[in-house]
Amino acid sequence: MPFELPDLPYAYDALEPFLGEQTMRLHHDKHHQGYVDSLNAAEEKAEKARESGDFSSIRAISDAMAFNYSGHLFHSLFWTCMSPDGGGQPSGALADRINTDFGDFESFKAQFLAASNDVQGSGWGVLAWQPLGNKLVILQAEKHQNLSQWGAQPILVLDVWEHAYYLDYQNERKRFTAAFFDVVDWASVAGRFEECV
Ligand code: MN3
């Protein structure tokens, strides 16, 4: 089964003024679709390599699979991390866990924004469940897959590639990441958290 582009869970203009319709159309229909297409192409190349027994391109195939799968996974999550009814703070078990692992919500938010703002080049800010330590961790992912932790389960992701915000915020990544907290869908994040623990 080839991978498929999921629909946005809301209209293209639903997150305005945080993100404009044109940004969302380009980001979802062009960029995310591109990762899905390239992932399917890489899987096809792997299948051909197995059939022919010629694995001379395996490194490029593995690289394409890691990059495009991670891009597809993060974008699929990113759309569901936001809602026109989002913002505020999490409640329940997720709120308790954030307080335990980061001190309080404001300290978590400060670290998440610092991590997102300081990603070198293109990448992501990520809140993830780390099963070995039994705790939440904040990660920076360069591109989609560098600096990741194997097995960590991302529950909140923030796309800080320029294509995510350039039309609306130009080069002001910090204004974009700060406004992200006005649309975070904490119910969706908490649902993923509760599946982890
Ligand atoms: Mn993106």
Side-chain angles (χ1 to χ4, degrees), residues 27 75 124 159 161 163:
H27 198 174
H75 284 91
W124 297 79
D159 191 338
W161 285 53
H163 67 227

Side-chain angles (χ1 to χ4, degrees), residues 5 26-42 64 67-69 71-72 75 144:
L5 180 70
L26 285 167
H27 198 174
H28 178 268
D29 297 1
K30 303 293 181 197
H31 289 276
H32 190 173
Q33 181 73 62
Y35 299 126
V36 171
D37 293 345
S38 299
L39 173 58
N40 287 329
F67 177 80
N68 291 295
Y69 173 78
H72 176 38
H75 284 91
H144 303 306

Side-chain angles (χ1 to χ4, degrees), residues 117-187:
N117 291 333
D118 285 348
V119 169
Q120 192 171 46
S122 301
W124 297 79
V126 179
L127 174 64
W129 177 252
Q130 186 203 62
L132 198 60
N134 249 347
K135 61 179 184 177
L136 290 168
V137 286
I138 292 168
L139 305 176
Q140 294 168 305
E142 289 178 6
K143 297 199 287 182
H144 303 306
Q145 79 284 22
N146 297 1
L147 309 181
S148 57
Q149 290 186 2
W150 290 102
Q153 188 76 26
I155 62 172
L156 172 68
V157 297
L158 173 53
D159 191 338
V160 293
W161 285 53
E162 284 188 343
H163 67 227
Y165 61 88
Y166 209 82
L167 292 175
D168 297 298
Y169 299 88
Q170 289 77 54
N171 61 339
E172 296 180 72
R173 182 187 283 184
K174 285 182 181 173
R175 273 209 305 128
F176 164 68
T177 57
F180 175 70
F181 275 81
D182 295 335
V183 300
V184 169
D185 187 346
W186 285 111

Side-chain angles (χ1 to χ4, degrees), residues 80-128:
T80 69
C81 282
M82 300 179 286
S83 161
D85 305 316
Q89 293 191 15
S91 57
L94 174 59
D96 294 343
R97 195 71 222 185
I98 284 174
N99 291 336
T100 300
D101 292 338
F102 301 105
D104 54 35
F105 181 78
E106 287 309 317
S107 302
F108 151 75
K109 182 175 170 181
Q111 185 178 338
F112 186 86
L113 288 176
S116 301
N117 291 333
D118 285 348
V119 169
Q120 192 171 46
S122 301
W124 297 79
V126 179
L127 174 64

